[in-house]
Amino acid sequence: MGSSRKITSLLLMFCLAVLVRAEYAKYKDPKQPLAVRINDLLGRMTLAEKIGQMTQIERVNATAEAMSKYFIGSVLSGGGSVPAPQASAQAWASMVNEMQRGSLSTRLGIPMIYGIDAVHGNNNAYRATIFPHNIGLGATRDPMLVKRIGEATALEVRATGISYAFAPCIAVCRDPRWGRCYESYSEDPKVVQSMTTLISGLQGDAPSDYTGRPYVGGSKKVAACAKHYVGDGGTYMGINANNTIIDTHGLMSIHMPAYYNSIIRGVSTVMVSYSSWNGEKMHANHFLITDFLKNKLKFRGFVITDYEGIDQITSPPGVNYSYSVEAGIGAGIDMVMVPFAYTEFIDDLTYQVKNNIILMSRIDDAVYRILRVKFTMGLFENPFADPSLAGEIGSHEHREVAREAVRKSLVLLKNGKSASTPLLPLPKKARKILVAGSHADNLGNQCGGWTITWQGEPGNNNTAGTTILSAIKSTVDPGTQVVYAENPDRSAVDAGEYDYAIVVVGEPPYAETAGDNLNLTIPEPGPAVIQTVCESVKCVVVLISGRPLVVEPYIGAMDAFVAAWLPGSEGQGVADVLFGDYGFTGKLPRTWFRSVDQLPMNVGDEHYDPLFPFGFGLTTEARK
């Protein structure tokens, strides 16, 4: 009896050992080398599983069932696509985790990667810190500050359970008529190159031997995305997603350099531009995506489309979708952002691979790159949100970084009717001061586009922050009377007996094509407010805008003029410098034109006659 029991137990142990060995997969073992893990997993995958990895769908479609049925590799939130209005970090994380459970329930359990447009902070999330848009950061000339912004943004993105940020935009905006110009750090490629430090902030510092390979330094960092490849800031007349007409030397010397730096920093992904280069759509450009980016520059991360980007290969969009799939994947695109029509994409690509229109080697290249990023990020070991990070959203520490960025981004363009009579810094102790203008008490206006919603929204109820008016009130002496009038009439200004006035005007929020603008005038009633106030009272005009605007007709009436760009949620940074707690240090990241008839006009051009040249910026000393 005893010997039969022993044989049974030995058999049982043998069977268990066989089961354990059968369950062991090299790709699941973090001790295995990266290439071993990728090749092991790739070798187990069916065509359906591979094409699923290449597919990125919109949050609203990403049920756990859809994730598992189609083996979806990635999910995104389009601008303003949120789990619920004013959703908490916990609500975001719960949503992402549910989708992840769907992915992990599949045969191979490949985790999905969730991407979001965190372009100036985790800007879709309620109460997140909203940093200045890139044009303001370009004015700081402070790459290490930009790196710290990346670090803070990574924590606020991870707080919502998300691991992938569609940032930075490293466009070189050559024409301010472009509606995305505020997403560009500068017209100067060298300034844009210097600001690729944001990637190191988001992802962590890549080791020196990592050139070309994606790097994400742990579960408190996020995968970054250099965009939009390439030439998006050079389109004709600044028309969004239009044609960039430039020779190869111009493309390589103006629009390409920041990609070199991004790749050296181990950027995980590159997003292709909607725009064309000399008439050829970037989403179908095999030379620039495969021959140059992948083969010559040795970029080893994955290439992703823009939102419905392959649809735009044809005109009108989507008119020959199967051709768009063939052209885009054939050009070297690895992951396709198909928010809604993802089953059509999957069916078309499957058909093309089965009929040798797209080679399996092209599919394997795409999936290898996607898996490389996922393994590098540690998603297989840490697929779910870290609940301990929820408190990072809008933290005091991050808001202080944003406030510092606002201070350093302000560019002082005029200070006094003559150099001997500077107006700034303003005295905190005054009898009575006037604050006027549409942007003085409007958080949405000072944050701009890509804030809670895609286009951004005016008003003070969209998220948390400090308006410029409330910052002024908290900065001046308690005995100083602050009068606010959004659009005061002349008689009230004349009768007010004000010591001085602060006029805050500018552009309404906008994003992408909605911001394309051929006249670049200050929207009404801004010019009228400037003239009404500044003709009666000593005034400083603070302009809130995503780019230089036409100001020459009004500059003579101003005593002082400050370009504040789109400062974000921390308006206190504006007051810090106006009242002299800190000095002005910002330098123009782009040329300030006199008239739109001069555009495009950039530093170094033969006919260069700006109102204020690139790099200009007066300085003041902080009050002791």
Side-chain angles (χ1 to χ4, degrees):
M1 193 73 182
S3 61
S4 64
R5 188 180 289 129
K6 190 178 285 184
I7 290 166
T8 305
S9 63
L10 282 170
L11 278 169
L12 192 62
M13 285 171 66
F14 176 76
C15 290
L16 282 169
V18 169
L19 278 170
V20 167
R21 180 169 284 272
E23 282 177 8
Y24 174 77
K26 286 182 179 177
Y27 78 88
K28 292 181 178 178
D29 183 356
K31 295 190 180 71
Q32 290 288 340
L34 180 64
V36 170
R37 297 183 78 184
I38 299 169
N39 283 317
D40 179 62
L41 178 50
L42 194 60
R44 297 167 185 268
M45 294 173 74
T46 64
L47 179 59
E49 288 165 333
K50 290 175 181 178
I51 289 175
Q53 283 302 302
M54 297 171 68
T55 308
Q56 185 182 65
I57 69 173
E58 225 291 328
R59 176 195 67 79
V60 294
N61 298 315
T63 61
E65 293 74 28
M67 299 301 291
S68 59
K69 181 178 179 182
Y70 295 101
F71 312 105
I72 298 298
S74 185
V75 179
L76 82 146
S77 273
S81 178
V82 299
Q86 301 187 358
S88 64
Q90 292 87 344
W92 277 97
S94 174
M95 175 192 74
V96 176
N97 284 344
E98 180 62 22
M99 295 169 189
Q100 192 67 280
R101 276 188 277 275
S103 295
L104 297 177
S105 72
T106 55
R107 181 177 73 93
L108 295 170
I110 304 172
M112 65 89 185
I113 181 173
Y114 195 114
I116 198 161
D117 284 285
V119 297
H120 62 145
N122 189 9
N123 45 258
N124 283 274
Y126 182 62
R127 301 187 72 86
T129 309
I130 305 297
F131 295 92
H133 268 299
N134 287 358
I135 189 170
L137 300 183
T140 70
R141 302 294 203 277
D142 190 339
M144 288 304 101
L145 170 63
V146 169
K147 182 181 179 183
R148 285 192 284 134
I149 288 170
E151 291 167 348
T153 299
L155 286 168
E156 297 207 17
V157 170
R158 280 287 191 171
T160 52
I162 295 170
S163 55
Y164 178 21
F166 301 133
C169 177
I170 52 172
V172 182
C173 175
R174 303 292 282 179
D175 193 323
R177 292 174 290 189
W178 186 36
R180 303 193 81 149
C181 203
Y182 64 76
E183 297 186 58
S184 167
Y185 293 107
S186 179
E187 72 188 41
D188 180 355
K190 289 188 173 61
V191 174
V192 178
Q193 282 182 286
S194 74
M195 296 304 174
T196 57
T197 49
L198 190 91
I199 293 166
S200 300
L202 292 169
Q203 297 192 155
D205 288 306
S208 57
D209 61 350
Y210 247 72
T211 298
R213 287 183 285 157
Y215 176 80
V216 180
S219 59
K220 292 183 180 178
K221 297 294 183 181
V222 296
C225 179
K227 67 183 190 184
H228 308 85
Y229 186 80
V230 60
D232 51 338
T235 58
Y236 174 68
M237 293 180 71
I239 300 166
N240 188 47
N242 203 257
N243 191 22
T244 297
I245 305 163
I246 195 169
D247 62 16
T248 303
H249 174 75
L251 187 80
M252 294 298 170
S253 61
I254 294 171
H255 298 285
M256 193 67 79
Y259 287 93
Y260 308 149
N261 299 67
S262 301
I263 291 166
I264 289 166
R265 291 184 182 280
V267 74
S268 295
T269 72
V270 169
M271 185 184 291
V272 184
S273 177
Y274 287 129
S275 57
S276 304
W277 177 39
N278 296 334
E280 183 180 356
K281 288 282 188 180
M282 273 305 312
H283 276 79
N285 194 311
H286 184 278
F287 166 70
L288 284 172
I289 296 172
T290 294
D291 299 341
F292 194 79
L293 179 65
K294 289 184 171 183
N295 295 342
K296 188 172 179 65
L297 299 187
K298 306 256 187 304
F299 171 62
R300 295 287 178 260
F302 67 78
V303 176
I304 187 169
T305 73
D306 208 330
Y307 194 92
E308 295 181 336
I310 60 168
D311 303 50
Q312 312 280 336
I313 289 172
T314 58
S315 184
V319 71
N320 184 347
Y321 191 68
S322 62
Y323 167 75
S324 294
V325 172
E326 179 185 348
I329 301 300
I333 287 164
D334 304 312
M335 184 178 283
V336 179
M337 204 183 282
V338 270
F340 304 107
Y342 61 95
T343 56
E344 183 184 0
F345 165 72
I346 289 168
D347 290 346
D348 273 13
L349 185 53
T350 302
Y351 173 85
Q352 290 181 26
V353 175
K354 286 183 173 176
N355 289 274
N356 291 320
I357 299 165
I358 297 281
L359 298 179
M360 184 59 89
S361 58
R362 174 72 274 275
I363 302 300
D364 286 345
D365 170 57
V367 178
Y368 193 100
R369 289 165 175 277
I370 293 163
L371 294 178
R372 187 204 294 268
V373 170
K374 290 185 176 185
F375 279 118
T376 302
M377 292 173 70
L379 271 183
F380 283 79
E381 287 70 54
N382 296 294
F384 293 113
D386 179 351
S388 72
L389 297 177
E392 298 288 350
I393 288 282
S395 72
H396 175 73
E397 184 182 9
H398 297 165
R399 291 186 185 278
E400 284 300 304
V401 175
R403 181 175 169 181
E404 177 187 346
V406 174
R407 291 196 293 260
K408 292 180 174 178
S409 71
L410 303 178
V411 181
L412 180 58
L413 297 171
K414 180 179 181 180
N415 191 16
K417 292 282 174 71
S418 70
S420 60
T421 58
L423 179 64
L424 299 173
L426 297 167
K428 293 180 183 179
K429 199 176 180 72
R431 191 184 58 78
K432 188 180 180 185
I433 67 173
L434 173 65
V435 180
S438 52
H439 288 52
D441 191 30
N442 196 308
L443 193 60
N445 281 353
Q446 74 189 43
C447 289
W450 294 109
T451 304
I452 305 301
T453 63
W454 173 37
Q455 293 292 325
E457 291 178 8
N460 292 332
N461 300 320
N462 305 317
T463 193
T466 304
T467 70
I468 293 167
L469 174 65
S470 60
I472 292 167
K473 287 179 174 176
S474 68
T475 303
V476 295
D477 186 87
T480 299
Q481 184 185 353
V482 179
V483 176
Y484 170 59
E486 186 174 328
N487 189 5
D489 62 46
R490 175 65 57 87
S491 59
V493 175
D494 289 343
E497 297 183 351
Y498 296 106
D499 291 19
Y500 58 83
I502 302 170
V503 178
V504 192
V505 295
E507 295 185 294
Y510 56 81
E512 299 192 46
T513 304
D516 287 358
N517 186 329
L518 295 179
N519 62 53
L520 295 180
T521 53
I522 299 173
E524 291 293 350
V529 175
I530 293 170
Q531 287 168 322
T532 297
V533 175
C534 295
E535 285 176 12
S536 298
V537 186
K538 278 192 296 188
C539 76
V540 53
V541 173
V542 178
L543 184 67
I544 306 293
S545 66
R547 52 204 159 186
L549 299 177
V550 176
V551 295
E552 194 170 36
Y554 325 111
I555 196 89
M558 306 172 189
D559 292 273
F561 177 44
V562 176
W565 316 112
L566 296 169
S569 59
E570 304 313 301
Q572 188 64 50
V574 177
D576 286 344
V577 184
L578 287 180
F579 292 96
D581 291 327
Y582 295 82
F584 280 93
T585 56
K587 303 296 178 192
L588 282 181
R590 46 181 327 99
T591 299
W592 203 293
F593 56 89
R594 297 176 184 278
S595 137
V596 289
D597 298 334
Q598 297 175 293
L599 299 176
M601 177 175 61
N602 294 283
V603 64
D605 287 357
E606 188 179 349
H607 303 290
Y608 191 68
D609 178 33
L611 182 62
F612 301 107
F614 170 84
F616 180 76
L618 302 171
T619 57
T620 60
E621 294 295 319
R623 279 209 178 98
K624 296 293 184 241

